[in-house]
Amino acid sequence: MSDTKTIVLRKPLKHGKDDAETVVSEITLREPLAGDYEKAEQSAGVYGTSIALIALLSGVPIDVIDQMYGSQIDEAEDFIASFGHEAARNPERSADEIVIQLTKAVQITKEDSALNIASLSLSEPTNAQKRKAEAAGGPFARMVALISLIGKVPKSSVRALCARDFLEAAAYFNGFQVRRSPDSDD
């Protein structure tokens, strides 16, 4: 799986005026970070979270992304979704505790610091922890808050997680929604 994808636009798009006019003939997307999902959620406005996320990941203004053909938006969304494909493929009941070895270690500072992480130790949240995370805002902001709270790492470190690691942690928490069967030993 590549960390980037370039989509050549079938129709070049323009933005800006006069000497500042820019023509966009392609967009290059990168793998999202957890913080990108959160920012897109906060800035979605009339365009929606998906369009805001594509704009963030490509560095192209949101109103230009809004002019793209639907099939090319779908292509961008498929690329972004591919990073969470494994985590969402077969939902299973989550274990009470888990240590996730990060695909890409988070390196926020040069010195040895709690901001830099190579793994996340997570456990099933209590109702009080879930309520506290709910106060953070939308679904992505809540997940950042929950991972920070349970994993005992700063939100800035969670926001720096690559999509694969962030979505694996989210899938772990979602695994508590899978019901245990009445005849299980759990």
Side-chain angles (χ1 to χ4, degrees):
M1 167 184 314
S2 176
D3 290 353
T4 62
K5 178 176 183 70
T6 299
I7 298 173
V8 177
L9 303 179
R10 293 195 311 267
K11 177 181 90 176
L13 302 171
K14 296 178 184 177
H15 66 94
K17 293 185 182 204
D18 301 324
D19 292 341
E21 183 177 84
T22 303
V23 176
V24 178
S25 58
E26 65 182 28
I27 64 167
T28 299
L29 301 166
R30 61 173 171 75
E31 179 177 3
L33 300 176
D36 294 325
Y37 292 109
E38 191 177 31
K39 282 180 196 168
E41 183 175 73
Q42 293 167 349
S43 66
V46 297
Y47 299 102
T49 303
S50 181
I51 300 300
L53 184 59
I54 294 168
L56 272 169
L57 299 179
S58 66
V60 173
I62 196 167
D63 56 331
V64 174
I65 299 299
D66 194 45
Q67 296 175 49
M68 287 173 55
Y69 290 118
S71 60
Q72 292 184 305
I73 295 292
D74 291 344
E75 185 179 353
E77 289 172 334
D78 288 347
F79 169 73
I80 294 166
S82 71
F83 293 103
H85 185 70
E86 287 300 316
R89 180 176 276 167
N90 294 312
E92 295 180 4
R93 173 83 179 136
S94 291
D96 290 341
E97 296 179 350
I98 189 173
V99 175
I100 297 174
Q101 297 301 319
L102 302 181
T103 305
K104 294 183 179 181
V106 172
Q107 184 79 30
I108 293 184
T109 65
K110 292 185 185 217
E111 60 271 353
D112 189 21
S113 164
L115 294 172
N116 303 326
I117 56 173
S119 65
L120 279 172
S121 296
L122 303 174
S123 62
E124 182 173 6
T126 65
N127 192 61
Q129 290 167 322
K130 287 173 28 179
R131 277 188 306 101
K132 187 172 183 180
E134 288 287 325
F140 291 113
R142 288 193 302 259
M143 191 54 64
V144 166
L146 190 61
I147 293 168
S148 172
L149 186 63
I150 303 293
K152 296 178 178 65
V153 295
K155 285 183 184 177
S156 59
S157 297
V158 176
R159 289 181 180 114
L161 291 173
C162 71
R164 288 171 270 191
D165 297 330
F166 176 66
L167 296 173
E168 183 178 352
Y172 170 73
F173 289 125
N174 291 337
F176 293 109
Q177 304 306 315
V178 177
R179 300 279 184 231
R180 295 177 194 248
S181 64
D183 58 344
S184 74
D185 291 339
D186 295 328

